[in-house]
Amino acid sequence: MKIVIMGAGKMGTFLCDVLSFEHEVAIYDIDRQRLRFTFNAARFTSLDEIKEFEPELLINAVTVKYTISAFNSVLPYLPENCIVSDIASVKTGLPEFYAQCGHPFVSTHPMFGPTFATLDNLARENAIIISEGNHLGKVFFKDLYSKLHLNIFEYTFREHDETIAFSLSIPFASTLVFASVMKHQDAPGTTFKRHLKIAHGLMSEDDFLLQEILFNPHTTGQLDKIKERLTVLQDIIERKDAVAMKQFLDGVRANLK
């Protein structure tokens, strides 16, 4: 298959490396310097090159802030039957875009980031494929993610957003609160250092990505749950209620099973 990947960032170059062994792949980026470390693939810096290439599949891997604008810029250069796809962790606006774009589409979310994941061992990582997408496109990504040994789930756009509000918004918000009250420790404990490492990794992500994930309309409901449980915990601590603390800890352990 002839595939164009838009965006030579971490995920774009990773997908380029993976797909170029079995497909004819080109990677496009407006910044020529970002293409220096891509191999076994054509390197494009103009949309006319994409038109000449005539891709069968376009994978939009640009920063989430520019996902839809990148699509709009490239659509006039694509064959009519080219499947367009995204791997965005935030799907805001994409269902509406796909409904009017005039191309078959497939939307997925590989739920591992290069910041935290070990890319040569993804057996414990997950991927979501949006059920509303084109059948052939979904088959392609199921095959790709299976070869990467990812655990694959199929959700609607709405189910995806609800899942992300739980699986990303809660840890993101918790980490941001931890880091916002943190002070330097001369002799940090192991748990503190682990939290600190997570915080540094999170803060290396794009600000707009963090904002869009936290602005998910389902996030506020999850934050309300955090506030409610924190209030309960604070009350137990203030009263030094050993019985209530035991019950609280037992509930946490039950959730972790």
Side-chain angles (χ1 to χ4, degrees):
M1 180 180 286
K2 299 181 73 172
I3 301 171
V4 165
I5 298 169
M6 295 189 75
K10 293 177 181 178
M11 285 301 296
T13 53
F14 170 71
L15 290 173
C16 180
D17 290 343
V18 170
L19 292 170
S20 62
F21 290 101
E22 297 184 12
H23 302 275
E24 186 178 353
V25 176
I27 186 164
Y28 166 86
D29 201 291
I30 57 176
D31 184 355
R32 187 182 300 272
Q33 293 297 314
R34 303 185 76 185
L35 297 172
R36 290 178 299 168
F37 305 110
T38 55
F39 303 96
N40 200 34
R43 306 176 190 181
F44 294 165
T45 56
S46 77
L47 295 172
D48 286 326
E49 291 174 295
I50 294 178
K51 182 177 182 178
E52 185 176 345
F53 186 71
E54 296 185 332
E56 299 165 83
L57 172 67
L58 175 92
I59 301 176
N60 188 337
V62 304
T63 304
V64 65
K65 181 178 181 179
Y66 302 108
T67 299
I68 293 179
S69 60
F71 269 139
N72 286 327
S73 70
V74 75
L75 285 183
Y77 298 84
L78 299 178
E80 289 185 5
N81 62 346
C82 179
I83 300 172
V84 294
S85 68
D86 74 275
I87 57 169
S89 54
V90 177
K91 303 300 185 184
T92 304
L94 284 170
E96 296 79 8
F97 168 79
Y98 285 132
Q100 56 80 41
C101 75
H103 284 264
F105 77 90
V106 58
S107 183
T108 76
H109 180 188
M111 295 184 67
F112 59 91
T115 300
F116 295 116
T118 303
L119 296 181
D120 59 354
N121 183 15
L122 297 172
R124 295 184 178 181
E125 305 295 342
N126 303 315
I128 293 174
I129 297 176
I130 301 300
S131 60
E132 289 99 327
N134 170 267
H135 175 70
L136 292 178
K138 291 193 293 183
V139 169
F140 174 86
F141 278 99
K142 283 180 181 178
D143 180 65
L144 170 62
Y145 293 152
S146 294
K147 289 178 179 177
L148 293 173
H149 307 293
L150 293 165
N151 302 299
I152 302 170
F153 301 87
E154 188 165 323
Y155 294 154
T156 64
F157 276 115
R158 178 179 177 83
E159 289 169 339
H160 170 272
D161 289 349
E162 291 173 345
T163 299
I164 295 309
F166 181 80
S167 64
L168 290 184
S169 295
I170 287 180
F172 279 20
S174 301
T175 300
L176 288 172
V177 171
F178 161 77
S180 69
V181 299
M182 188 180 60
K183 62 180 180 180
H184 176 73
Q185 299 287 309
D186 290 326
T190 300
T191 302
F192 181 90
K193 287 189 288 187
R194 288 179 178 174
H195 278 276
L196 184 61
K197 182 178 180 180
I198 292 173
H200 279 302
L202 181 65
M203 298 315 298
S204 71
E205 298 286 358
D206 178 74
D207 285 0
F208 187 83
L209 172 63
L210 300 179
Q211 171 183 300
E212 288 300 290
I213 288 174
L214 291 170
F215 285 178
N216 182 325
H218 301 284
T219 295
T220 53
Q222 300 300 334
L223 294 182
D224 286 338
K225 294 178 183 178
I226 293 177
K227 290 190 292 184
E228 187 271 330
R229 299 312 295 163
L230 184 59
T231 299
V232 170
L233 179 60
Q234 184 175 4
D235 178 66
I236 292 171
I237 293 171
E238 289 176 349
R239 292 187 290 108
K240 295 182 173 59
D241 188 333
V243 174
M245 178 59 79
K246 178 66 167 60
Q247 292 174 341
F248 188 92
L249 296 177
D250 286 344
V252 172
R253 291 189 179 97
N255 284 347
L256 295 175
K257 290 181 180 179

